[in-house]
Amino acid sequence: MSADAHDHPNFFQPQPGTKGGIASWIFSTDHKRIGMLYLYCIVAMFLVGLTLGFLIRLELIAPGRTIMGPQTYNALFTLHGVVMIFLVVIPSIPAAFGNIFLPIQIGAEDVSFPRLNIFSWWLYVTGAVLAVVSLVTGKGAPDTGWTFYVPFSAVTTTNVDVAVVAVFILGFSSILTGLNFITTLHRLRAPGMTWTRLPLFCWSLYATGWIQVLATPVLGITVLLIFAERVLGVGLFDPSRGGDPILYQHLFWIYSHPAVYIMILPAMGVISEILPVFARKPIFGYKMIAFSSLAIAFAGSLVWAHHMFVSGMSDTAVMVFSFLTFVVAIPSAIKVFNWVSTLYKGSIRVEPPLWYALAFIFLFSIGGLTGLVLGSAGTDVHVHDTYFVVAHFHYVIFGGLGFGLFGAMHYWFPKVYGRMYDKRIANWSCLIAFVGFNILYFPMFIIGLQGMPRRYYDYLPKYAEGHFISTMGSWVLAAGLLLMFWNLWRGIRHGKPVGRNPWGAATLEWMVPSPPPHHNFDAEPVVTHGPYDYTGVKPDA
Amino acid sequence: MHEHRDYEGAKIGMWLFLFTEVLLFGGLFLLYAVYLHRYPAEFHAAGKDLSRIFGTANTIVLITSSLFMALAISALQRGKVLLSQRLVLLTVALAGVFLVNKFFEWSAKISHGIYPDSPALLKLPPGEMVFFNLYYLMTGLHGIHVIIGGAVLLYGWHLMRAGRVTPEHFVFLENGGLYWHLVDLVWIYLFPLFYLVV
């Protein structure tokens, strides 16, 4: 510990005059501690989701029964979806790294509503516990898929009731985080931190916050309606009672499509932080990147029905939604081009966070472009509900958000823990995960185009080769990820201590000690330059 | 650590929360719009079964309660704490009147066998079933909000008595009032949709 540790204990150490202990974490109102609580929960849930996905792949290695029966398989892919979407991906970067770094990046002491912040973590834990309870109680684990489509979700005897209540509570948690961030960004920016000096990570969280606030309530009412349908027999989606199941799909996707932008926008913000630091030059097109986050949030809210091209819609509606889907590609492409331009003629220093960022750009570009195949009504009819969709989704969310999250972990690790992980192993784990990822998901594009339907327990022999390669890839990917987590874990305990600014970054979090002290700043900082102005900034370790 | 007070921030947070409430009900209003378009005649027939007298009475009760709420806040701002406390209690009392009214209205319907999943309801034409299901869901969800709003205002009253909501620091009551106006506003839409336009 450094000499001033007694005067300014870091946020892991107890506050002066207190003993610390578990209660000082789980009832803490410190945004950094809450962020760490989220981070550990999210990593734990990620490992659960990873295991479930791993088992699904293992079952699919060969046609016919391999390790589990069809009902177990249905429950596993439902859980894989629910755990990964609602417990990992939606909270991931905003709730963990957003909580830890958003206030520091804008020079604030905390978020606007610290007590609401810890309340939202408790809601998250409640939702997670209920999700687990839904597995082991009632008549079996939910088997509907994470989309809970009616009419099946209304009639299945499995424990959907508890699962949808869990989703409702998790949605509430997500709303409170978004609301907190928007208010914080409006009210607590330090003097001189103008909107155009805001780090792009904050801009992406701002756009995400608006989607969380405006889209999540619709999911809330949708899952409540499933609950009402099952428990009270209300039947608003039941054709025998005058209802229309298609309306469920509309309501569900009105939330769940914007939700994929809740997932990807913060990861894009992380990439926008990492690239200029390691290219040693200001980000190219700052204003366009900031603006494109808002444009994605806005346009992304108007495209939900592209999930329903084969559900029965008028041709006019299909064309409108198809067109709007293409529109979203524009701000996404603006980001990608600006990132590449940032690297162009930079004096690039290759470090692990940059590798993850480059993997993000590569995988996200594949995911994004195949999204256009699905957004175009003609081709969608062919590949709808096939493995092509599974591959596209995982390229965007796992290749995008996932690698963005890993990039964030490697980028901010020295700041959070005051230590550095083994960079060589970090590079290797990134490479192994990247290779495994492509072996796992790329064959899915091909068998998807050949007509392999998603969510099926069994398949025709002609798809066997693709499934076999894919399962092989899942082993490589899992090995890479375990190596990565092990390396980080070892870095926490034995890593080489680092100073305030090991990467030579210019945003405010690198001006405070590593790990940051309880109140972040000794005195409120006054911001005099932009977040990517590296004049005179040098790495100190 | 200095105490952090940011009224502007607290109000921004509250308005964002109110957006989420509007969108929560928005999902149901969307369903209402679609089904009204699909079953205009059935909605008309079923709407006649609802008591306009009850509905009108409840509308008057809620609008009056909103008035008392607004008066309570301006009373507090002008330093009349006791008056403000009484006005808040009056608001809560009217919330109670609304709920009692609603109880009788629902009871009357239920005693005629009209409630979700009831044998009598299932014999009705599909459009009327949808109407009554929506009626119970939307007024039920609204009723829950009335209960929450009443509880929040009672807590505000308690804070005033404890001296923690004062003429200088009244943002809790103001935000509680905003919530109450939203509850009122939702009813202002529910009332014509179920009792008048069909």
Side-chain angles (χ1 to χ4, degrees):
Chain A
M1 285 304 135
S2 57
D4 61 357
H6 291 291
D7 308 329
H8 300 286
N10 70 51
F11 79 97
F12 286 105
Q13 296 163 328
Q15 291 259 28
T18 64
K19 285 208 175 101
I22 183 88
S24 76
W25 281 86
I26 60 174
F27 300 118
S28 171
T29 53
D30 180 347
H31 65 99
K32 298 178 290 297
R33 288 196 164 192
I34 296 169
M36 294 306 287
L37 291 174
Y38 267 116
L39 182 62
Y40 288 131
C41 291
I42 287 160
V43 169
M45 294 324 284
F46 176 75
L47 292 174
V48 171
L50 190 73
T51 311
L52 293 169
F54 187 81
L55 292 174
I56 295 169
R57 275 318 321 164
L58 206 54
E59 167 56 39
L60 292 170
I61 191 169
R65 184 190 168 105
T66 315
I67 56 164
M68 64 183 87
Q71 187 60 31
T72 315
Y73 175 82
N74 288 350
L76 281 199
F77 79 67
T78 301
L79 283 171
H80 171 74
V82 170
V83 167
M84 281 300 203
I85 298 278
F86 295 113
L87 292 169
V88 178
V89 171
I90 294 271
S92 66
I93 293 177
F97 290 104
N99 258 322
I100 301 173
F101 288 113
L102 176 129
I104 312 186
Q105 281 197 329
I106 62 171
E109 201 174 277
D110 208 317
V111 292
S112 273
F113 309 113
R115 278 179 299 180
L116 207 58
N117 206 8
I118 190 68
F119 178 59
S120 84
W121 180 75
W122 275 102
L123 287 176
Y124 171 84
V125 171
T126 312
V129 168
L130 278 178
V132 174
V133 165
S134 78
L135 301 185
V136 290
T137 58
K139 294 177 189 156
D143 56 351
T144 57
W146 77 278
T147 48
F148 298 112
Y149 264 23
V150 291
F152 183 65
S153 64
V155 297
T156 176
T157 55
T158 57
N159 208 356
V160 170
D161 300 340
V162 179
V164 294
V165 172
V167 169
F168 182 84
I169 291 172
L170 291 169
F172 203 2
S173 162
S174 172
I175 287 175
L176 293 181
T177 302
L179 181 155
N180 218 336
F181 286 177
I182 296 175
T183 314
T184 306
L185 282 169
H186 273 285
R187 297 299 301 164
L188 299 183
R189 282 171 290 123
M193 179 56 80
T194 57
W195 284 99
T196 50
R197 283 182 187 160
L198 207 58
L200 287 165
F201 182 56
C202 295
W203 266 111
S204 73
L205 290 175
Y206 184 69
T208 308
W210 277 107
I211 313 178
Q212 285 174 306
V213 165
L214 296 180
T216 317
V218 183
L219 176 76
I221 195 66
T222 311
V223 294
L224 277 188
L225 285 169
I226 294 193
F227 190 77
E229 183 137 356
R230 291 176 62 86
V231 177
L232 307 173
V234 168
L236 280 175
F237 302 124
D238 179 352
S240 72
R241 296 176 185 195
D244 186 345
I246 301 288
L247 278 174
Y248 171 83
Q249 297 187 17
H250 276 290
L251 283 182
F252 180 80
W253 289 114
I254 285 176
Y255 164 75
S256 295
H257 193 78
V260 306
Y261 301 107
I262 297 178
M263 305 171 193
I264 197 69
L265 277 172
M268 291 171 157
V270 171
I271 303 309
S272 307
E273 292 295 300
I274 293 176
L275 288 179
V277 171
F278 296 99
R280 307 309 300 161
K281 73 192 253 274
I283 190 133
F284 186 86
Y286 171 92
K287 281 186 184 164
M288 285 313 283
I289 293 184
F291 158 79
S292 63
S293 290
L294 298 178
I296 289 175
F298 176 72
S301 301
L302 305 173
V303 302
W304 74 87
H306 67 212
H307 294 267
M308 304 165 53
F309 285 158
V310 301
S311 301
M313 254 196 298
S314 75
D315 287 349
T316 317
V318 168
M319 282 201 283
V320 169
F321 279 107
S322 184
F323 172 74
L324 288 170
T325 305
F326 284 9
V327 169
V328 184
I330 296 171
S332 310
I334 287 177
K335 282 188 191 290
V336 172
F337 289 135
N338 279 328
W339 289 330
V340 175
S341 311
T342 303
L343 291 172
Y344 181 66
K345 286 190 176 169
S347 40
I348 294 174
R349 207 152 43 94
V350 183
E351 301 271 13
L354 184 67
W355 280 121
Y356 281 100
L358 295 176
F360 171 99
I361 295 177
F362 183 84
L363 300 174
F364 175 75
S365 299
I366 294 180
L369 289 171
T370 49
L372 293 177
V373 177
L374 292 162
S376 153
T379 42
D380 180 69
V381 173
H382 180 68
V383 290
H384 189 91
D385 262 347
T386 68
Y387 265 72
F388 192 88
V389 179
V390 181
H392 156 72
F393 180 82
H394 284 87
Y395 264 88
V396 175
I397 298 305
F398 193 171
L401 174 276
F403 277 77
L405 177 66
F406 305 148
M409 285 177 178
H410 286 84
Y411 178 60
W412 278 310
F413 183 94
K415 176 50 62 187
V416 168
Y417 295 104
R419 290 173 184 277
M420 186 61 84
Y421 45 82
D422 185 326
K423 290 183 185 174
R424 208 171 48 91
I425 301 181
N427 288 338
W428 274 108
S429 61
C430 180
L431 181 67
I432 297 169
F434 177 78
V435 170
F437 181 94
N438 283 296
I439 303 175
L440 167 54
Y441 293 113
F442 203 83
M444 292 187 185
F445 280 126
I446 297 164
I447 56 174
L449 280 173
Q450 291 167 345
M452 171 72 210
R454 72 183 182 139
R455 290 181 171 173
Y456 275 31
Y457 171 68
D458 202 357
Y459 51 84
L460 297 172
K462 69 170 174 170
Y463 303 120
E465 201 180 354
H467 275 295
F468 182 74
I469 297 172
S470 177
T471 301
M472 290 292 180
S474 75
W475 300 343
V476 180
L477 176 62
L481 292 179
L482 290 180
L483 180 66
M484 182 190 84
F485 282 122
W486 172 78
N487 183 41
L488 292 177
W489 174 245
R490 217 178 50 137
I492 295 173
R493 300 159 64 100
H494 307 298
K496 193 167 73 68
V498 293
R500 293 179 180 222
N501 196 359
W503 306 127
T507 39
L508 281 178
E509 78 268 32
W510 303 99
M511 311 297 136
V512 301
S514 319
H518 282 280
H519 290 310
N520 300 348
F521 301 94
D522 294 335
E524 192 177 34
V526 177
V527 182
T528 52
H529 58 84
Y532 309 109
D533 178 1
Y534 298 108
T535 321
V537 179
K538 283 206 169 57
D540 66 359
Chain B
M1 186 183 160
H2 68 277
E3 194 168 358
H4 174 75
R5 288 185 193 276
D6 179 7
Y7 281 11
E8 201 75 14
K11 282 178 79 174
I12 291 176
M14 191 64 202
W15 277 103
L16 289 171
F17 182 69
L18 294 183
F19 287 171
T20 70
E21 288 281 5
V22 168
L23 285 152
L24 184 78
F25 279 100
L28 289 172
F29 280 114
L30 191 67
L31 290 183
Y32 181 97
V34 172
Y35 288 130
L36 173 65
H37 179 71
R38 193 170 296 175
Y39 306 111
E42 287 90 340
F43 269 46
H44 181 68
K48 277 190 188 155
D49 283 354
L50 296 182
S51 160
R52 264 168 225 181
I53 296 166
F54 267 122
T56 312
N58 259 348
T59 309
I60 293 168
V61 166
L62 266 197
I63 292 181
T64 315
S65 76
S66 251
L67 171 68
F68 286 151
M69 189 64 235
L71 289 176
I73 289 164
S74 55
L76 187 62
Q77 285 169 332
R78 280 179 289 140
K80 297 175 182 166
V81 180
L82 198 64
L83 177 65
S84 177
Q85 287 179 8
R86 284 181 183 156
L87 284 165
V88 169
L89 281 187
L90 262 177
T91 312
V92 176
L94 286 180
V97 171
F98 177 90
L99 288 171
V100 170
N101 232 339
K102 197 87 237 163
F103 171 77
F104 282 120
E105 201 187 343
W106 273 31
S107 305
K109 275 266 135 331
I110 291 170
S111 67
H112 285 95
I114 301 291
Y115 56 91
D117 218 18
S118 70
L121 186 74
L122 294 180
K123 287 198 197 89
L124 292 176
E128 295 195 26
M129 264 192 265
V130 169
F131 180 86
F132 283 115
N133 280 331
L134 274 173
Y135 165 75
Y136 276 106
L137 263 182
M138 294 177 85
T139 57
L141 190 64
H142 177 257
I144 292 172
H145 279 77
V146 172
I147 294 171
I148 296 171
V152 168
L153 293 183
L154 262 188
Y155 186 62
W157 174 76
H158 163 76
L159 289 180
M160 273 199 277
R161 300 222 321 158
R164 281 158 61 197
V165 167
T166 62
E168 289 79 39
H169 303 299
F170 50 83
V171 75
F172 182 91
L173 197 69
E174 199 173 6
N175 279 345
L178 280 176
Y179 187 83
W180 189 251
H181 294 320
L182 177 90
V183 171
D184 184 22
L185 192 68
V186 171
W187 179 257
I188 301 282
Y189 282 90
L190 289 180
F191 173 58
L193 287 182
F194 283 104
Y195 297 82
L196 302 181
V197 296
V198 293

